C-alpha cells in the first residue's frame, strides 16, 4: 500500500486507538505500546480487512485485543474498584472557574476509568468516538443490545458517583 | 412543542453533546435538554467526558510510521508455492532412522556411492568420493530434505527392496 496513504490512516485513527488502549490498560506507556503494536498488526494485515465493518471499527477491535493480550502477557491489572474518597472528592475552592471546570472534567474521566471494562469501553466508544451501538458491540465483543445496556449502565453509575 | 421522550433522546445525547448532530435533529435535542433537568444533567456529564478526552501522545504517529517501514518482527515471510506432503517428510524420517541403524551394524568400510547418486538423479551429481555410511548418517538429513519427490520415492523403493 502507498506509504503516504498508510501514514494518513495512522494520523487519522491513532488518537481513537490510543484512547481505546488507555481505557483498557489505564497506563499511558502501556497504551502507547498496545496502540503501536495493534496499528502495525492491522496495517500490515490490511488484506484481512473484509469490509463488513468500518475500517475504524476493525482497527479499534484489533487494538483492543492487543491491549488485552498485553494484560495477559504481563499480568498487569487495572486499579482497584472505586475508592469512595476519590468519588467524593470535590474541586478545590477559590480557584478560577476554568480550573474548576478542568478539575471537574478530570474527575469525571477518573471515574470513567473505574467502571467495569465493558461499561467503560461502551461509554468511551459511544461518547469519545461516536460509534453506533452496533459498532461498539463489534469492538467490545458483544451484541448491539448488550453494548447499549452497558453504555446506559455506565452512564447511570457515573451520575450516581457524581451526585 | 417538545415531543421527544427522554428514552428516545438518551441514545443520541452523546452525539449532541459532542457536537456531532446538526440541523433539525440538533435543534430538537437542544429544545428537550433545555426543558428537562434530568437530560440536562446527563448532557453536562457527557460534555465533561468529551472535554476530557485524552489526546494521542506527541510523536506517536511518527513512531508508528517509522515502525511500519521496518520489516515485521513477529510475522515471518509467507511460505508460498509447493509444500512437500506430510507423508514424504515421514518417509524421510524413516529413511534416516534406517540408515542410522545400518551404520551401527556395519563396519565403516569405504563405499562407492555412485549407485546412490544415480538413484538420486540430479540432486547428487558430485563426483564419486570415498564415502562411508557414517558420513551419510550425519549428512543425510539435509540432503534428503532437498530431494525431489521422485528421487525420494525411488530411494524409499530401493530401501524396501
Amino acid at each position: 500500500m502507498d506509504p503516504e496513504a498508510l501514514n494518513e490512516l495512522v494520523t487519522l485513527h491513532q488518537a481513537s486507538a490510543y484512547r481505546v488502549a488507555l481505557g483498557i490498560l489505564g497506563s499511558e506507556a502501556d497504551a502507547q505500546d498496545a496502540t503501536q503494536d495493534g496499528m502495525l498488526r492491522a496495517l500490515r494485515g490490511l488484506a484481512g480487512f473484509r469490509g463488513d465493518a468500518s475500517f475504524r471499527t476493525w482497527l479499534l477491535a484489533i487494538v483492543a485485543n492487543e491491549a488485552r493480550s498485553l494484560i495477559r502477557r504481563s499480568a498487569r491489572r487495572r486499579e482497584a474498584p472505586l475508592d469512595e474518597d476519590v468519588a467524593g472528592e470535590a474541586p478545590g475552592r477559590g480557584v478560577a472557574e476554568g480550573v474548576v471546570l478542568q478539575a471537574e472534567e478530570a474527575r469525571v474521566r477518573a471515574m470513567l476509568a473505574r467502571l467495569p471494562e465493558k461499561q467503560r469501553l461502551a461509554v468511551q466508544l459511544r461518547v469519545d468516538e461516536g460509534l453506533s451501538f452496533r459498532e461498539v458491540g463489534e469492538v467490545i465483543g458483544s451484541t448491539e443490545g448488550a453494548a447499549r445496556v452497558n453504555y446506559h449502565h455506565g452512564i447511570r453509575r457515573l451520575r450516581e458517583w457524581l451526585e | 412543542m417538545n415531543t421527544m421522550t427522554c428514552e428516545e433522546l438518551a441514545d443520541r445525547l452523546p452525539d449532541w453533546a459532542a457536537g456531532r448532530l446538526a440541523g433539525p435533529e440538533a435543534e430538537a435535542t437542544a429544545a428537550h435538554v433545555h426543558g428537562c433537568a434530568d437530560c440536562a444533567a446527563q448532557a453536562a456529564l457527557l460534555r465533561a467526558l468529551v472535554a476530557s478526552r485524552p489526546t494521542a501522545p506527541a510523536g506517536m504517529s511518527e513512531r508508528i510510521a517509522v515502525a511500519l517501514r521496518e520489516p515485521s518482527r513477529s510475522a515471518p515471510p509467507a511460505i508460498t508455492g509447493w509444500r512437500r506432503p506430510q507423508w514424504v517428510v515421514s518417509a524421510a524420517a524413516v529413511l534416516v532412522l534406517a540408515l542410522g541403524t545400518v551404520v551401527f551394524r556395519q563396519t565403516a568400510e569405504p563405499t562407492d556411492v555412485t549407485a546412490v547418486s544415480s538413484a538420486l538423479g540430479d540432486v547428487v551429481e558430485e563426483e564419486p568420493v570415498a564415502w562411508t555410511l557414517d558420513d551419510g548418517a550425519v549428512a543425510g538429513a539435509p540432503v534428503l530434505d532437498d530431494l525431489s519427490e521422485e528421487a525420494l520415492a525411488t530411494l524409499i523403493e530401493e530401501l524396501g527392496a
Side-chain angles (χ1 to χ4, degrees), chain A residues 24-78:
Chain A
I24 293 171
L25 294 161
S27 147
E28 292 180 4
D30 289 347
Q32 284 193 53
D33 288 347
T35 302
Q36 175 163 328
D37 291 349
M39 290 195 81
L40 288 176
R41 187 180 292 273
L43 295 173
R44 283 177 175 152
L46 269 177
F49 174 55
R50 293 175 302 179
D52 51 1
S54 81
F55 173 76
R56 186 160 70 136
T57 306
W58 179 73
L59 172 70
L60 295 182
I62 290 175
V63 171
N65 283 338
E66 195 66 37
R68 290 190 197 102
S69 69
L70 184 60
I71 289 177
R72 284 194 296 273
R73 284 200 302 271
S74 58
R76 290 171 184 149
R77 290 288 179 267
R78 294 187 54 79

Side-chain angles (χ1 to χ4, degrees), chain A residues 19 32 44 109 126 128, chain B residues 11 15 49 53-54 63:
Chain A
R19 282 191 288 269
Q32 284 193 53
R44 283 177 175 152
R109 185 58 61 168
R126 183 72 191 93
D128 292 352
Chain B
D11 279 0
D15 293 324
L49 282 171
R53 286 194 320 176
R63 285 195 295 277

Side-chain angles (χ1 to χ4, degrees), chain A residues 7 10 14 18-19 32 35-36 39-40 43-44 105 108-109 126-128 130 133 148 151-152 155 159 162, chain B residues 10-11 14-15 20 38 41-42 45-46 49-55 57 60-61 63 65 67-68 70 72:
Chain A
N7 288 346
V10 170
Q14 58 150 350
Y18 173 72
R19 282 191 288 269
Q32 284 193 53
T35 302
Q36 175 163 328
M39 290 195 81
L40 288 176
L43 295 173
R44 283 177 175 152
E105 289 163 358
V108 170
R109 185 58 61 168
R126 183 72 191 93
V127 178
D128 292 352
F133 286 118
R148 179 180 276 105
Y151 166 80
H152 287 298
I155 291 293
R159 288 188 63 185
L162 285 163
Chain B
D11 279 0
D15 293 324
R20 292 189 289 261
D38 191 54
Q42 185 153 322
L45 166 67
L46 294 170
L49 282 171
V50 170
S52 60
R53 286 194 320 176
T55 53
M60 192 172 74
S61 65
R63 285 195 295 277
L68 259 178
E70 293 171 354
S72 173

